[in-house]
Amino acid sequence: MDDLSYQAEFVIDASWRMAAMQDGNPLSPSYGSFHYAYWRDKTSEFPDARFQEAGATLGLLSLPQFDAWRSEGRLLPAEKLYAAFSASLRAWSRFQYPEGCWDEWYKGERGFAVTEFTMIAFGLAARYLGTNLRQDDRLVLTAAIRRAAAWLAPRHDRTKANHEAAAAAALALA
C-alpha cells in the first residue's frame, strides 16, 4: 500500500471517531463544533476554529467516490457525513469575528494561521464537493471566505514562510 492510500484508509477508518467529536445537538449554541473541550468539557472558554477542519474532511467523505467504503460499512451514510460538514461550516462561520478572522490558541487572538488554514480546508472541500455543495451552504461559505479574505489580504506572517505561502493559497481560493 502506498503512503497516500495508507493515509486515506486511516482517515476513512477514523471518520466515525471524528463524527463523534462533534456537538450534534441542534439546540446547543455550539452545535457543529468539533472542539470537544469547548462544547462538551467546558474546559476551554473559546472555540478553536482549527478543529472545524474535521468537518471539511467529513464533507469530502460524503462524496460518491467513497461509496465503496460506505458499502463495506467503514463510513457513515453520505447524508450524515454531509450533515456534519454543513453543521461544522455553520459553526465555523458563527465563530468568526466580524472583521473576518478566528481564534486558535487563545481567546481574542485573531490568528493568521487559523484564518488561512481553515479557509483552505473549507475552500477545498467546496471545490471537491462541486455541485454536491448545497446552495445554502455555499452562501454561508462565500460570506465567511469573503470576510476572511478581506482580513487576511493586508496582513503578513513574515517569520513563517509556510504561513505566507498558505495565505497566498487561501486567497487564491477566495
Side-chain angles (χ1 to χ4, degrees):
M1 178 183 299
D2 62 45
D3 188 52
L4 184 59
S5 297
Y6 176 81
Q7 294 297 322
E9 296 284 332
F10 182 86
V11 171
I12 287 165
D13 290 336
S15 64
W16 294 83
R17 291 189 305 278
M18 274 193 291
M21 295 297 293
Q22 187 179 39
D23 181 353
N25 180 354
L27 301 176
S28 169
S30 56
Y31 174 59
S33 175
F34 277 92
H35 188 180
Y36 201 76
Y38 172 70
W39 75 264
R40 171 66 169 71
D41 294 340
K42 309 289 192 255
T43 56
S44 176
E45 64 179 334
F46 74 97
D48 175 347
R50 289 299 304 268
F51 286 96
Q52 296 312 106
E53 294 171 26
T57 301
L58 295 180
L60 292 172
L61 293 175
S62 75
L63 288 167
Q65 290 89 326
F66 295 95
D67 284 348
W69 288 275
R70 224 175 317 286
S71 66
E72 293 174 5
R74 292 175 62 193
L75 274 176
L76 290 166
E79 308 79 47
K80 288 189 180 208
L81 291 169
Y82 188 89
F85 161 77
S86 181
S88 176
L89 169 65
R90 289 163 192 284
W92 178 66
S93 176
R94 280 193 321 276
F95 300 156
Q96 187 179 35
Y97 283 102
E99 63 267 28
C101 54
W102 288 268
D103 291 336
E104 178 181 10
W105 292 104
Y106 58 89
K107 189 175 184 175
E109 171 192 14
R110 291 168 165 78
F112 188 89
V114 65
T115 300
E116 66 188 349
F117 289 120
T118 58
M119 283 174 68
I120 290 170
F122 281 102
L124 286 174
R127 287 215 176 179
Y128 283 105
L129 284 166
T131 59
N132 292 310
L133 181 65
R134 292 189 332 223
Q135 184 60 25
D136 57 328
D137 289 331
R138 186 176 303 282
L139 293 173
V140 170
L141 176 64
T142 300
I145 291 274
R146 283 188 178 152
R147 285 190 303 271
W151 182 86
L152 188 62
R155 288 174 171 72
H156 297 282
D157 189 353
R158 289 186 172 89
T159 59
K160 297 181 180 163
N162 67 317
H163 288 190
E164 288 288 304
L171 291 170
L173 285 168

